[in-house]
Amino acid sequence: MSGPRKYGIDREIAAKLAAKYDVGREVQAREWIETVVGEPFPSPEFQPSLKDGVILCKLMNVLIPGFFKIKASKMPFVQMENIAKFLQGCEQLGCPKHDLFQTIDLYENKNPGQVVDAIFSLSRHAAKAGCDIPILGPKLADKHEVEFSEEVLNAGKNVINTFQYGYNGGANQSGVRNGRRDIGGVDPGRGAVEI
């Protein structure tokens, strides 16, 4: 996260984002993109390779054939448009917005961890949408709804759930007399306690 020097809360936020960044996940995301697209990254660095959005558009065209005409350009607005089209494709494949990144997160390298997380999310949602690709991270869970008959629901109403009553951890009332507890021993300030 290069750029102008940060102060105050901006510096704290940048430090938190840098601490969350995992190079191992970046390597997995890079290998996954290279496998799916079928070509290596143009440079050894992750963010500069993705910054123009060309690799991301190639990736999206593999996942959704003919999705977007790739525009290779040095002009910033064209590069940001490529990134925005990639994010639209991610949403079309079912990625939730909270899993994605903002265009500026990639273009200005503001939040590289979120970029990697979005690629992991894309792999899972694209596989669930029917693309024949490897999955990064855990597989998405399938929804499993259970239907109970009226008879089973009524039977459940008659069961007494003893777990709701709590557990006293083996505590009991021994040693308690007349609402006071008999601790025993001598109180140095009072002398012996008589009961």
Side-chain angles (χ1 to χ4, degrees), residues 50-54 56-57 68 76-90 101-108:
L50 299 180
K51 181 179 178 178
D52 64 359
V54 172
L56 297 174
C57 287
F68 183 63
F77 70 90
V78 174
Q79 294 177 345
M80 292 173 91
E81 182 183 2
N82 286 343
I83 296 168
K85 278 296 193 183
F86 167 76
L87 293 171
Q88 286 176 0
C90 290
F101 56 91
Q102 300 293 315
T103 303
I104 201 164
D105 290 341
L106 173 59
Y107 191 76
E108 293 185 5

Short mmCIF file of all heavy atoms in Angstrom, two decimals, residues 50-54 56-57 68 76-90 101-108:
data_model
loop_
_atom_site.label_atom_id
_atom_site.label_comp_id
_atom_site.label_asym_id
_atom_site.label_seq_id
_atom_site.Cartn_x
_atom_site.Cartn_y
_atom_site.Cartn_z
N LEU A 50 -3.10 -7.15 -12.17
CA LEU A 50 -4.55 -7.05 -12.23
C LEU A 50 -5.04 -5.62 -12.42
O LEU A 50 -6.21 -5.41 -12.76
CB LEU A 50 -5.16 -7.61 -10.94
CG LEU A 50 -4.90 -9.08 -10.62
CD1 LEU A 50 -5.56 -9.45 -9.30
CD2 LEU A 50 -5.38 -9.97 -11.73
N LYS A 51 -4.19 -4.64 -12.20
CA LYS A 51 -4.59 -3.24 -12.15
C LYS A 51 -5.32 -2.77 -13.41
O LYS A 51 -6.27 -2.00 -13.32
CB LYS A 51 -3.37 -2.36 -11.90
CG LYS A 51 -3.69 -0.89 -11.81
CD LYS A 51 -2.46 -0.07 -11.53
CE LYS A 51 -2.82 1.41 -11.51
NZ LYS A 51 -1.69 2.24 -11.20
N ASP A 52 -4.90 -3.22 -14.60
CA ASP A 52 -5.55 -2.76 -15.83
C ASP A 52 -6.85 -3.50 -16.11
O ASP A 52 -7.60 -3.13 -17.01
CB ASP A 52 -4.61 -2.84 -17.02
CG ASP A 52 -4.17 -4.26 -17.36
OD1 ASP A 52 -4.60 -5.21 -16.65
OD2 ASP A 52 -3.40 -4.42 -18.32
N GLY A 53 -7.13 -4.57 -15.37
CA GLY A 53 -8.38 -5.29 -15.51
C GLY A 53 -8.43 -6.27 -16.66
O GLY A 53 -9.43 -6.98 -16.84
N VAL A 54 -7.38 -6.36 -17.47
CA VAL A 54 -7.39 -7.23 -18.65
C VAL A 54 -7.46 -8.69 -18.23
O VAL A 54 -8.29 -9.46 -18.76
CB VAL A 54 -6.15 -6.95 -19.54
CG1 VAL A 54 -6.04 -7.99 -20.66
CG2 VAL A 54 -6.24 -5.55 -20.12
N LEU A 56 -8.57 -9.89 -15.46
CA LEU A 56 -9.87 -10.12 -14.83
C LEU A 56 -10.96 -10.28 -15.90
O LEU A 56 -11.86 -11.12 -15.75
CB LEU A 56 -10.20 -8.99 -13.87
CG LEU A 56 -9.25 -8.83 -12.67
CD1 LEU A 56 -9.61 -7.59 -11.87
CD2 LEU A 56 -9.28 -10.07 -11.80
N CYS A 57 -10.90 -9.49 -16.96
CA CYS A 57 -11.88 -9.62 -18.05
C CYS A 57 -11.71 -10.95 -18.78
O CYS A 57 -12.70 -11.58 -19.17
CB CYS A 57 -11.77 -8.46 -19.01
SG CYS A 57 -12.40 -6.91 -18.33
N PHE A 68 -17.66 -9.82 -22.03
CA PHE A 68 -17.17 -8.45 -22.16
C PHE A 68 -16.04 -8.40 -23.16
O PHE A 68 -15.16 -9.27 -23.16
CB PHE A 68 -16.71 -7.97 -20.78
CG PHE A 68 -16.24 -6.55 -20.73
CD1 PHE A 68 -17.10 -5.50 -21.03
CD2 PHE A 68 -14.94 -6.24 -20.40
CE1 PHE A 68 -16.67 -4.19 -20.97
CE2 PHE A 68 -14.50 -4.93 -20.34
CZ PHE A 68 -15.38 -3.90 -20.63
N PRO A 76 -6.45 5.45 -17.49
CA PRO A 76 -7.03 5.02 -16.21
C PRO A 76 -8.52 4.71 -16.26
O PRO A 76 -8.96 3.73 -15.69
CB PRO A 76 -6.75 6.19 -15.27
CG PRO A 76 -5.59 6.90 -15.86
CD PRO A 76 -5.71 6.71 -17.34
N PHE A 77 -9.31 5.52 -16.97
CA PHE A 77 -10.75 5.27 -16.95
C PHE A 77 -11.10 3.97 -17.67
O PHE A 77 -12.06 3.29 -17.31
CB PHE A 77 -11.54 6.46 -17.52
CG PHE A 77 -11.39 6.67 -19.00
CD1 PHE A 77 -12.27 6.06 -19.89
CD2 PHE A 77 -10.40 7.50 -19.49
CE1 PHE A 77 -12.14 6.26 -21.25
CE2 PHE A 77 -10.27 7.70 -20.86
CZ PHE A 77 -11.14 7.08 -21.75
N VAL A 78 -10.32 3.58 -18.68
CA VAL A 78 -10.56 2.31 -19.37
C VAL A 78 -10.19 1.15 -18.45
O VAL A 78 -10.92 0.14 -18.37
CB VAL A 78 -9.76 2.24 -20.70
CG1 VAL A 78 -9.89 0.87 -21.35
CG2 VAL A 78 -10.21 3.33 -21.66
N GLN A 79 -9.09 1.28 -17.73
CA GLN A 79 -8.67 0.23 -16.80
C GLN A 79 -9.70 0.06 -15.69
O GLN A 79 -10.06 -1.06 -15.33
CB GLN A 79 -7.29 0.57 -16.21
CG GLN A 79 -6.19 0.55 -17.24
CD GLN A 79 -4.85 0.97 -16.68
OE1 GLN A 79 -4.74 1.52 -15.59
NE2 GLN A 79 -3.79 0.70 -17.44
N MET A 80 -10.21 1.20 -15.18
CA MET A 80 -11.22 1.12 -14.12
C MET A 80 -12.54 0.55 -14.66
O MET A 80 -13.26 -0.13 -13.94
CB MET A 80 -11.41 2.49 -13.48
CG MET A 80 -10.18 2.93 -12.70
SD MET A 80 -10.27 4.59 -12.10
CE MET A 80 -10.98 4.32 -10.51
N GLU A 81 -12.85 0.81 -15.91
CA GLU A 81 -14.05 0.24 -16.52
C GLU A 81 -13.92 -1.28 -16.62
O GLU A 81 -14.88 -2.01 -16.38
CB GLU A 81 -14.27 0.85 -17.91
CG GLU A 81 -15.53 0.33 -18.58
CD GLU A 81 -15.71 0.88 -19.99
OE1 GLU A 81 -14.85 1.63 -20.48
OE2 GLU A 81 -16.73 0.51 -20.61
N ASN A 82 -12.73 -1.77 -16.97
CA ASN A 82 -12.49 -3.22 -17.01
C ASN A 82 -12.74 -3.84 -15.64
O ASN A 82 -13.38 -4.90 -15.53
CB ASN A 82 -11.05 -3.52 -17.45
CG ASN A 82 -10.82 -3.28 -18.93
OD1 ASN A 82 -11.76 -3.18 -19.73
ND2 ASN A 82 -9.56 -3.16 -19.30
N ILE A 83 -12.23 -3.21 -14.61
CA ILE A 83 -12.41 -3.72 -13.24
C ILE A 83 -13.89 -3.70 -12.87
O ILE A 83 -14.41 -4.67 -12.30
CB ILE A 83 -11.57 -2.89 -12.23
CG1 ILE A 83 -10.09 -3.05 -12.52
CG2 ILE A 83 -11.88 -3.34 -10.80
CD1 ILE A 83 -9.19 -2.07 -11.77
N ALA A 84 -14.59 -2.62 -13.22
CA ALA A 84 -16.02 -2.51 -12.91
C ALA A 84 -16.82 -3.60 -13.64
O ALA A 84 -17.76 -4.18 -13.08
CB ALA A 84 -16.54 -1.12 -13.28
N LYS A 85 -16.46 -3.89 -14.89
CA LYS A 85 -17.15 -4.95 -15.64
C LYS A 85 -16.90 -6.32 -14.98
O LYS A 85 -17.79 -7.16 -14.91
CB LYS A 85 -16.67 -4.98 -17.09
CG LYS A 85 -17.35 -3.97 -17.95
CD LYS A 85 -18.82 -4.28 -18.03
CE LYS A 85 -19.50 -3.50 -19.11
NZ LYS A 85 -20.92 -3.72 -19.15
N PHE A 86 -15.68 -6.53 -14.49
CA PHE A 86 -15.38 -7.78 -13.79
C PHE A 86 -16.28 -7.91 -12.56
O PHE A 86 -16.84 -8.98 -12.31
CB PHE A 86 -13.91 -7.79 -13.37
CG PHE A 86 -13.57 -8.86 -12.37
CD1 PHE A 86 -13.44 -10.18 -12.76
CD2 PHE A 86 -13.39 -8.55 -11.03
CE1 PHE A 86 -13.13 -11.17 -11.84
CE2 PHE A 86 -13.09 -9.53 -10.10
CZ PHE A 86 -12.96 -10.84 -10.51
N LEU A 87 -16.43 -6.83 -11.82
CA LEU A 87 -17.27 -6.87 -10.62
C LEU A 87 -18.74 -7.12 -10.98
O LEU A 87 -19.44 -7.84 -10.25
CB LEU A 87 -17.12 -5.56 -9.83
CG LEU A 87 -15.74 -5.34 -9.21
CD1 LEU A 87 -15.61 -3.93 -8.66
CD2 LEU A 87 -15.44 -6.37 -8.15
N GLN A 88 -19.21 -6.59 -12.10
CA GLN A 88 -20.57 -6.88 -12.56
C GLN A 88 -20.72 -8.37 -12.88
O GLN A 88 -21.74 -8.98 -12.55
CB GLN A 88 -20.92 -6.05 -13.81
CG GLN A 88 -21.17 -4.61 -13.54
CD GLN A 88 -21.42 -3.82 -14.83
OE1 GLN A 88 -21.39 -4.37 -15.93
NE2 GLN A 88 -21.63 -2.53 -14.68
N GLY A 89 -19.70 -8.94 -13.50
CA GLY A 89 -19.73 -10.37 -13.80
C GLY A 89 -19.76 -11.22 -12.54
O GLY A 89 -20.45 -12.24 -12.47
N CYS A 90 -19.01 -10.78 -11.53
CA CYS A 90 -19.02 -11.49 -10.24
C CYS A 90 -20.43 -11.50 -9.65
O CYS A 90 -20.90 -12.54 -9.18
CB CYS A 90 -18.06 -10.84 -9.26
SG CYS A 90 -16.32 -11.04 -9.65
N PHE A 101 -14.92 -6.19 -3.91
CA PHE A 101 -14.12 -5.02 -3.57
C PHE A 101 -14.60 -3.83 -4.37
O PHE A 101 -15.36 -3.98 -5.34
CB PHE A 101 -12.63 -5.28 -3.82
CG PHE A 101 -12.31 -5.69 -5.25
CD1 PHE A 101 -11.99 -4.74 -6.21
CD2 PHE A 101 -12.32 -7.02 -5.62
CE1 PHE A 101 -11.69 -5.11 -7.51
CE2 PHE A 101 -12.02 -7.40 -6.92
CZ PHE A 101 -11.70 -6.44 -7.86
N GLN A 102 -14.17 -2.66 -3.99
CA GLN A 102 -14.43 -1.45 -4.77
C GLN A 102 -13.34 -1.34 -5.83
O GLN A 102 -12.21 -1.79 -5.63
CB GLN A 102 -14.40 -0.21 -3.86
CG GLN A 102 -15.41 -0.23 -2.74
CD GLN A 102 -16.83 -0.14 -3.25
OE1 GLN A 102 -17.13 0.67 -4.11
NE2 GLN A 102 -17.69 -0.98 -2.74
N THR A 103 -13.66 -0.72 -6.95
CA THR A 103 -12.68 -0.56 -8.03
C THR A 103 -11.39 0.06 -7.53
O THR A 103 -10.29 -0.39 -7.86
CB THR A 103 -13.29 0.30 -9.16
OG1 THR A 103 -14.49 -0.32 -9.61
CG2 THR A 103 -12.33 0.43 -10.32
N ILE A 104 -11.51 1.05 -6.68
CA ILE A 104 -10.34 1.76 -6.16
C ILE A 104 -9.47 0.87 -5.26
O ILE A 104 -8.26 1.08 -5.14
CB ILE A 104 -10.78 3.05 -5.44
CG1 ILE A 104 -9.63 4.02 -5.36
CG2 ILE A 104 -11.33 2.76 -4.08
CD1 ILE A 104 -10.06 5.42 -5.02
N ASP A 105 -10.08 -0.14 -4.64
CA ASP A 105 -9.31 -1.06 -3.80
C ASP A 105 -8.23 -1.76 -4.60
O ASP A 105 -7.13 -2.00 -4.10
CB ASP A 105 -10.23 -2.11 -3.16
CG ASP A 105 -11.13 -1.54 -2.10
OD1 ASP A 105 -10.84 -0.44 -1.58
OD2 ASP A 105 -12.16 -2.19 -1.78
N LEU A 106 -8.54 -2.10 -5.85
CA LEU A 106 -7.55 -2.74 -6.71
C LEU A 106 -6.72 -1.68 -7.44
O LEU A 106 -5.49 -1.76 -7.44
CB LEU A 106 -8.24 -3.65 -7.73
CG LEU A 106 -7.34 -4.25 -8.81
CD1 LEU A 106 -6.22 -5.07 -8.19
CD2 LEU A 106 -8.15 -5.09 -9.77
N TYR A 107 -7.38 -0.70 -8.05
CA TYR A 107 -6.67 0.25 -8.90
C TYR A 107 -5.61 1.04 -8.14
O TYR A 107 -4.51 1.24 -8.62
CB TYR A 107 -7.66 1.20 -9.58
CG TYR A 107 -7.01 2.02 -10.65
CD1 TYR A 107 -6.71 1.45 -11.89
CD2 TYR A 107 -6.63 3.33 -10.42
CE1 TYR A 107 -6.07 2.19 -12.87
CE2 TYR A 107 -6.00 4.08 -11.40
CZ TYR A 107 -5.72 3.50 -12.62
OH TYR A 107 -5.08 4.22 -13.59
N GLU A 108 -5.94 1.48 -6.93
CA GLU A 108 -4.97 2.24 -6.13
C GLU A 108 -4.34 1.40 -5.03
O GLU A 108 -3.67 1.93 -4.14
CB GLU A 108 -5.65 3.47 -5.54
CG GLU A 108 -6.04 4.49 -6.60
CD GLU A 108 -6.61 5.76 -6.01
OE1 GLU A 108 -6.62 5.91 -4.77
OE2 GLU A 108 -7.06 6.60 -6.80
#
